[in-house]
């Protein structure tokens, strides 16, 4: 049932966007900085992901390099398993010598540019000792990243039957990796935001593996939307294609123009009902055209912004009895054309900063954080965010606009006496009023 999850019926919001006519079993368009979902189709349906799997392999490698468990220039000696897989030219591969030694960077480029499967298994062995251990790491990392609807059975995205009986233990001999479009987009979101350097390699359209040696092989990037390739699209610089008979033609893309970046995912893309190599790029083009034509990143509220009627907080024990609050920085949001007024600013005050009576306690310093301002979208086509972390990106700090010094003991004493007489007078007034 997990592998054959049925398609969910379109809800009203999805039906409203069906004019895009995305021919794919599932698709999603996301603003990359915040993870705001702008288009969705069957995004929680579990489907095959093929070599889009390699984004998780990239993530774990880059994490290992960041933590200094692996170095770019360290050398790898080819195992029997990696040798056998790398010799299969029916698969995407750079043949590796049985007695050869290769740097981590060489193997990474072969994987990221050419989707080389033998090189990918080599990376799994470098990071985890074996592909079996690496697969455990893949599933554990997916859980840590908050992904849902996924299952990894190997490091490459191949069908296990292509691994010549050497597939990781504990998985079926015909199993493949599966995810939902939402999960794939979430993985891409984490990869781009935590390791943006991936684009330096993912954006390379052509490169020669082991150039100048007898083993040199020309590697053309399978992402044909890169500049200079057959389906080039302005701004595209990543990330990963995929194909197996089970998964169909898939692509996780990203492009940036005019200060806004989008992430797209299409799964089992088709043209006129048939899966073709170019279909994944044609459907991605539709998503990107829609995004760049209809959305932009706009500054809705400047630094120093105040919500009318909510811009002050009471202060106790201060020379002043209240202080103004304002936004520390501008707040920018991805906005659909003509919908700037569909956003409402909201203050969220940190209750830990206040007394039980809801007051700040002097002294208060200018620029002191007292909460944050976020925005709420009031339109109907709100699909939410991929992650809670992304949603937090759509908020700015609320700070105190000036210093409030603590009042001296004499002022506080007079206020106390005044408060006492005020309470007595109020009590007397209520009593007198009851006589008449």
């Amino acid at each position: 049932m997990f592998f054959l999850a049925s398609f969910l019926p379109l809800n009203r919001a999805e039906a409203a966007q069906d004019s895009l006519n995305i021919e794919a079993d599932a698709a999603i368009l996301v603003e990359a900085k915040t993870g705001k979902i702008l288009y969705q189709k069957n995004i929680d349906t579990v489907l095959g992901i093929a070599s889009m799997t390699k984004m998780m392999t990239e993530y774990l490698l880059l994490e290992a390099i960041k933590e200094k468990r692996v170095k770019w220039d360290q050398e790898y000696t080819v195992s029997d398993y990696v040798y056998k897989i790398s010799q299969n030219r029916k698969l995407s591969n750079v043949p590796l010598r049985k007695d050869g030694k290769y740097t981590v960077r060489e193997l990474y480029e072969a994987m990221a540019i050419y989707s080389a499967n033998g090189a990918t298994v080599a990376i799994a062995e470098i990071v985890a000792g074996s592909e079996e251990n690496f697969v455990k790491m893949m599933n554990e990392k997916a859980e840590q990243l908050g992904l849902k609807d996924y299952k990894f059975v190997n490091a490459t995205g191949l069908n296990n039957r292509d691994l010549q009986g050497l597939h990781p233990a504990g998985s079926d001999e015909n199993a493949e990796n599966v995810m939902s479009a939402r999960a794939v987009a979430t993985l891409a979101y984490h990869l781009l935001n935590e390791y943006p350097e991936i684009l330096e390699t993912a954006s390379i359209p052509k490169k020669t593996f082991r150039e100048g040696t007898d083993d040199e092989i020309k590697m053309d990037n399978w992402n044909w939307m890169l500049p200079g390739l057959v389906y080039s699209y302005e701004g595209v610089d990543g990330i990963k294609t995929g194909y197996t008979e089970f998964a169909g033609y898939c692509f996780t893309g990203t492009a940036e123009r005019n200060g806004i970046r989008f992430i797209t995912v299409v799964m089992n893309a088709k043209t006129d009902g048939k899966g073709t190599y170019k279909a994944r790029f044609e459907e991605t083009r539709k998503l990107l055209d829609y995004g760049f034509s209809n959305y932009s990143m706009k500054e809705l509220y400047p630094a120093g912004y105040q919500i009318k009627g909510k811009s002050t907080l009471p202060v106790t024990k201060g020379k002043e009895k209240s202080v103004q609050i304002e936004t520390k920085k501008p707040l920018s949001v991805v906005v659909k054309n003509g919908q700037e007024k569909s956003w409402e600013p909201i203050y969220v005050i940190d209750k830990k900063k206040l007394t039980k009576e809801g007051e700040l306690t002097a002294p208060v310093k200018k620029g002191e954080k007292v909460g944050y301002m976020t925005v709420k979208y009031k339109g109907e086509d709100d699909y939410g965010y991929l992650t809670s972390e992304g949603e937090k990106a759509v908020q700015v700090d609320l700070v105190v606009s000036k210093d409030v010094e603590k009042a001296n003991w004499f002022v506080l004493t007079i206020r106390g006496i005044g408060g006492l007489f005020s309470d007595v007078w109020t009590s007397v007034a209520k009593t007198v009023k009851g006589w008449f």
Side-chain angles (χ1 to χ4, degrees), residues 392-410:
K392 289 177 182 177
V394 191
Q395 58 184 234
V396 290
D397 290 349
L398 277 176
V399 297
V400 173
S401 64
K402 67 175 186 177
D403 291 339
V404 178
E405 296 181 12
K406 186 175 182 180
N408 60 43
W409 68 269
F410 180 75

Side-chain angles (χ1 to χ4, degrees), residues 35-90:
K36 183 80 173 74
I37 301 172
L38 308 176
Y39 172 88
Q40 61 179 21
K41 176 181 179 180
N42 297 329
I43 64 171
D44 294 311
T45 300
V46 179
L47 300 165
I49 58 173
S51 280
M52 293 193 299
T53 295
K54 294 182 174 77
M55 289 191 295
M56 178 60 85
T57 304
E58 288 180 308
Y59 187 100
L60 290 172
L61 171 62
L62 292 170
E63 181 180 61
I65 289 172
K66 180 181 179 181
E67 296 174 356
K68 298 183 179 180
R69 292 183 284 113
V70 175
K71 296 181 179 179
W72 284 118
D73 59 355
Q74 78 180 61
E75 290 188 330
Y76 165 80
T77 302
V78 178
S79 68
D80 290 343
Y81 174 30
V82 167
Y83 173 75
K84 289 178 182 178
I85 299 302
S86 74
Q87 301 306 306
N88 187 351
R89 296 309 304 273
K90 291 181 180 179

